[in-house]
Amino acid sequence: MIPVQGVEDQTIAVLGLGRSGRATVAALAEGGARVIAWDDGQDTREAAIAQGIEIADLTRDAAWDGVRALIVSPGIPHLYPRPHPVIAQAYARGVPVDNDVGLFFRSYASADWEGFDRAPRVVAVTGSNGKSTTTALIHHILSEAGRPVQMGGNIGTGVLSLDPAIDGEVVVLELSSYQTDLARALTPDVAVFTNLSPDHLDRHGGYGGYFAAKRRLFAEGGPDRAVIGVDEPEGQYIANQLGMGPSDDRVIRISSGQKLERYGWSVFARKGFLSEWRKGRQAGSIDLRGIGGLPGAHNHQNACAAYAACRALGLAPRQIEAAFHSFRGLPHRSQLVAEIGGVRYVNDSKATNVDAAAKALQAFDRIRWIAGGLGKEGGIAGLVPHLGRVSKAYLFGHSARDFAMELNGLPHEVVETLAQATERAHAEAEPGETVLLAPAAASFDQYPNFEKRGEDFMRVVEGLA
């Protein structure tokens, strides 16, 4: 646990008592604060009371007496589409609003660091797609290289549930837009921006607000080194804003598809080969084509981001390459589940938006595509240019019929459930084909999250095997 600093003998309120909220209560209490908390769910409040957490109804004026700050869980809207009533109360009273990420960055460094030979470092990864894989890959590389390392944030352990730092340790954090948008402190040593595509737009008041939430990690975080994906204009903008010119190697530009040889430091992948360039000369190269845990151009971009971050931390190219080969990927992200009768079954349940699904569709040949769920704004019309390798689509869930109308003549079948879609694809698949779950939609019509959806797909495939 990371005890929160600067809160001794203060009354701090916490809104939301899920995993991160409960961890925040514990870390604040460890730092000497008196903590009061509120959650809209009665069952959640009762469970918190059983754990000894003091509940105060923050919708009532009396609960705010003496409150010095409000700490908000990431799933609770603080601005768009409208602030939660408790947060609106804090704004009206002038009570500072923060989240657990802000508390982490102001509390991670401690007096113990004065005795360390090598100061701990924090790597923070954000973006629309690939940030979980990039975060896990950085963690894997550092671990394989023998560096002390922890992983947390939006993946793995909550930020305040991490262990206090030890000498030379690296903490690798995945940060969502929900987390970067509200944190009052953002001070990573290395910050990574993978890419940007439309997602969570209602929560950020549109695409510009979504980008602004991501950009805060760089504009307000002031990292020593910034690894920036420049395949979209937004990444090009961030790199331009941070750099003092093309030779400024504090910015490491990365790309999947572009040559980036004119900059002070860049890492890019083309035709399956990763190249590192520094000051006009090639400094490293890795053949990514045979690395099973990183299939497709989108994973090659993730590899470039992780490579660049680890080089910024002082690792050698050969150390990074060796770790690439032992990386097995993350569940629900281009995960090979089984091969049955010459047909591969791939679980990419994490492809919850059009951009992620497009990348999955480009990673495999001869695809029988399973898609559906709770569609997002804009539907799947943007996937039409990427359907050339798809022989047939199997659509399920709430938006299946809407999706069917956008397929531009592609053969398709509409069913009710993921299990039915998987069974139909299995019945028609031929050797050499890939049955790919890349839903291009949220899971919330039939599943509580994308993980449960992916697990259901795997269960059905295992039954077929």
Side-chain angles (χ1 to χ4, degrees):
M1 179 191 302
I2 307 294
V4 177
Q5 299 183 30
V7 296
E8 190 172 0
D9 298 325
Q10 296 181 15
T11 299
I12 308 295
V14 173
L15 177 62
L17 289 169
R19 184 191 68 162
S20 67
R22 294 192 304 273
T24 298
V25 169
L28 285 164
E30 187 69 17
R34 177 211 170 202
V35 187
I36 61 174
W38 180 253
D39 192 284
D40 291 336
Q42 182 175 343
D43 291 346
T44 303
R45 294 196 301 269
E46 291 175 354
I49 291 170
Q51 294 174 0
I53 295 173
E54 181 180 350
I55 297 297
D57 187 348
L58 295 171
T59 65
R60 298 182 179 275
D61 290 344
W64 289 89
D65 290 345
V67 171
R68 298 284 295 274
L70 174 67
I71 312 303
V72 178
S73 294
I76 301 173
H78 62 271
L79 186 57
Y80 301 112
R82 65 187 60 83
H84 186 282
V86 170
I87 299 175
Q89 281 256 32
Y91 292 161
R93 296 170 181 277
V95 173
V97 179
D98 203 349
N99 63 13
D100 60 340
V101 171
L103 296 181
F104 167 84
F105 275 111
R106 86 182 205 195
S107 303
Y108 183 54
S110 68
D112 295 340
W113 290 27
E114 295 179 5
F116 292 167
D117 292 329
R118 185 166 53 177
R121 311 285 294 279
V122 177
V123 179
V125 181
T126 195
S128 295
N129 299 308
K131 58 185 179 292
S132 295
T133 296
T134 299
T135 302
L137 183 55
I138 294 169
H139 176 268
H140 176 76
I141 294 166
L142 291 167
S143 179
E144 290 292 293
R147 294 284 292 272
V149 60
Q150 296 186 76
M151 179 174 69
N154 205 43
I155 183 175
T157 305
V159 289
L160 293 175
S161 296
L162 294 166
D163 294 329
I166 63 174
D167 197 335
E169 187 170 51
V170 179
V171 168
V172 190
L173 301 178
E174 177 193 339
L175 299 181
S176 72
S177 59
Y178 292 1
Q179 294 169 309
T180 58
D181 198 16
L182 191 58
R184 295 170 70 92
L186 287 168
T187 54
D189 298 284
V190 179
V192 180
F193 177 81
T194 57
N195 50 57
L196 197 77
S197 63
D199 209 357
H200 309 304
L201 301 190
D202 59 332
R203 179 66 185 269
H204 297 290
Y207 201 44
Y210 177 53
F211 172 55
K214 300 288 190 184
R215 180 177 174 268
R216 289 191 76 242
L217 184 63
F218 304 87
E220 300 183 33
D224 295 333
R225 278 251 157 68
V227 176
I228 309 294
V230 294
D231 288 335
E232 295 89 25
E234 292 82 6
Q236 296 166 17
Y237 172 80
I238 294 175
N240 185 272
Q241 289 278 298
L242 294 178
M244 297 301 294
S247 63
D248 188 347
D249 65 1
R250 293 174 302 172
V251 178
I252 309 176
R253 291 168 172 84
I254 64 166
S255 172
S256 176
Q258 298 183 65
K259 282 187 175 182
L260 302 173
E261 299 170 352
R262 68 175 67 90
Y263 301 105
W265 200 347
S266 63
V267 181
F268 57 90
R270 294 184 77 246
K271 299 180 180 179
F273 287 87
L274 179 151
S275 297
E276 177 190 5
W277 281 70
R278 298 189 72 170
K279 298 180 179 179
R281 301 181 63 180
Q282 188 168 11
S285 178
I286 298 175
D287 185 351
L288 300 173
R289 294 172 299 175
I291 298 176
L294 296 167
H298 62 305
N299 274 310
H300 292 176
Q301 185 196 48
N302 299 335
C304 289
Y307 178 99
C310 290
R311 290 287 282 141
L313 293 170
L315 271 66
R318 65 180 182 277
Q319 293 176 293
I320 300 171
E321 182 175 10
F324 277 178
H325 283 280
S326 60
F327 183 65
R328 293 292 173 258
L330 289 178
H332 317 300
R333 298 159 176 87
S334 296
Q335 177 188 12
L336 179 61
V337 177
E339 185 168 330
I340 306 170
V343 178
R344 293 189 298 175
Y345 293 77
V346 174
N347 168 23
D348 205 331
S349 182
K350 184 62 170 65
T352 58
N353 58 43
V354 165
D355 188 67
K359 289 178 169 60
L361 290 168
Q362 294 171 65
F364 303 97
D365 294 316
R366 300 182 60 197
I367 297 168
R368 292 191 178 268
W369 176 37
I370 300 174
L374 187 61
K376 297 187 176 181
E377 185 178 350
I380 60 167
L383 287 174
V384 170
H386 307 290
L387 299 179
R389 301 176 183 179
V390 178
S391 57
K392 185 175 178 179
Y394 303 83
L395 308 173
F396 71 96
H398 178 273
S399 298
R401 286 171 177 78
D402 293 334
F403 283 9
M405 296 173 64
E406 299 180 271
L407 290 178
N408 202 29
L410 179 76
H412 63 272
E413 186 173 338
V414 175
V415 297
E416 292 296 323
T417 68
L418 173 57
Q420 291 170 340
T422 306
E423 289 163 358
R424 292 296 301 142
H426 170 73
E428 298 181 351
E430 300 176 356
E433 292 186 325
T434 296
V435 173
L436 171 65
L437 171 64
S443 60
F444 306 128
D445 59 331
Q446 297 180 347
Y447 300 95
N449 50 52
F450 73 84
E451 292 95 342
K452 292 298 183 184
R453 178 171 60 189
E455 290 167 6
D456 195 24
F457 174 73
M458 295 168 65
R459 177 187 60 76
V460 175
V461 170
E462 289 165 3
L464 296 171

